[in-house]
Amino acid sequence: MKQKIVLVVLIANICLGAAAQDKKSRNRVTYSYGIGKSEGKLHKGFGNIYSIGYERALWKERIRFTYQFSYGIYDTKTFLGIQKQMTSGYNVVPKLELTLFTIKNVSLYVGGGGVFNRSKGLTGNDDDIATNDEPEYFEINHFGYSATAGIRYGDPKGRIFYELVPWDIHGGTKQFKEYHGKFVMGIKL
């Protein structure tokens, strides 16, 4: 899996290097890292999430269409009294974001859209002494909604911007819920 992530990042960097230096470009590539919680009918855990995305400004830089692909790794090390689990989840998240207001180079935005999640993992690892259960593999798909709010910092005439997203929520079928806080770096193409 690490090889796939490295390949995606390498291809994105090559595309960025080959892109024109047009300051008025409406297309952007985003990278992000965050921490959060993922829950569903068959899984629960805290962990890290990594994302790569595409963004296109639609109206005066105030409305943006974003499309993100993210990968998260979650476990139950911090939960007491529940069966051990290791879970990985893949999300595809298309959404619209709206800038509410901007002061100098800082803006506040909200967004919403859909989400497709595929979670898979192992419940009840071999070293789980609390229970005598055999480890079980699970794989499940979820469909649902996405809601986000964050702060963006960046010179409107520059190519690079940063976002702090303290509120990124996904919810959907089969009791699926994810909560993330993340840091985003974006580059205009």
Side-chain angles (χ1 to χ4, degrees):
M1 185 62 201
K2 288 182 181 180
Q3 293 171 341
K4 290 179 184 177
I5 292 172
V6 169
L7 181 62
V8 168
V9 171
L10 181 62
I11 291 171
N13 285 328
I14 290 170
C15 292
L16 288 174
Q21 296 288 333
D22 182 11
K23 302 282 186 188
K24 295 183 181 182
S25 174
R26 298 185 321 167
N27 300 310
R28 300 169 179 93
V29 173
T30 61
Y31 304 97
S32 68
Y33 167 77
I35 56 173
K37 179 180 178 183
S38 181
E39 293 182 32
K41 188 175 185 178
L42 302 175
H43 71 282
K44 176 186 268 191
F46 282 108
N48 300 314
I49 188 161
Y50 310 90
S51 301
I52 185 166
Y54 168 78
E55 182 176 293
R56 179 161 177 92
L58 299 177
W59 180 68
K60 297 182 181 181
E61 300 285 331
R62 292 186 57 88
I63 298 177
R64 295 175 300 279
F65 171 75
T66 65
Y67 187 86
Q68 296 175 349
F69 174 78
S70 59
Y71 174 71
I73 303 168
Y74 307 96
D75 62 36
T76 56
K77 288 180 185 174
T78 57
F79 292 101
L80 297 175
I82 69 167
Q83 196 173 36
K84 287 189 176 186
Q85 292 182 351
M86 293 292 294
T87 305
S88 62
Y90 303 89
N91 292 331
V92 176
V93 185
K95 62 185 169 185
L96 285 175
E97 293 178 348
L98 170 67
T99 299
L100 298 176
F101 63 86
T102 302
I103 300 173
K104 295 190 180 185
N105 293 339
V106 179
S107 59
L108 177 67
Y109 70 91
V110 295
V115 65
F116 168 75
N117 170 274
R118 182 168 183 83
S119 295
K120 57 185 177 178
L122 189 65
T123 301
N125 296 333
D126 288 332
D127 61 344
D128 193 356
I129 298 171
T131 65
N132 291 326
D133 295 339
E134 289 293 319
E136 289 184 31
Y137 179 78
F138 66 89
E139 199 165 341
I140 190 166
N141 296 329
H142 305 100
F143 298 92
Y145 66 89
S146 170
T148 189
I151 299 168
R152 176 181 286 222
Y153 172 79
D155 183 359
K157 296 177 184 173
R159 287 189 68 203
I160 298 176
F161 62 91
Y162 304 96
E163 294 178 0
L164 181 61
V165 184
W167 194 64
D168 191 18
I169 297 174
H170 304 156
T173 59
K174 302 172 190 161
Q175 303 170 0
F176 172 66
K177 294 178 276 228
E178 280 189 344
Y179 312 95
H180 300 116
K182 58 187 178 179
F183 175 76
V184 180
M185 184 185 94
I187 304 170
K188 287 185 183 179
L189 297 177

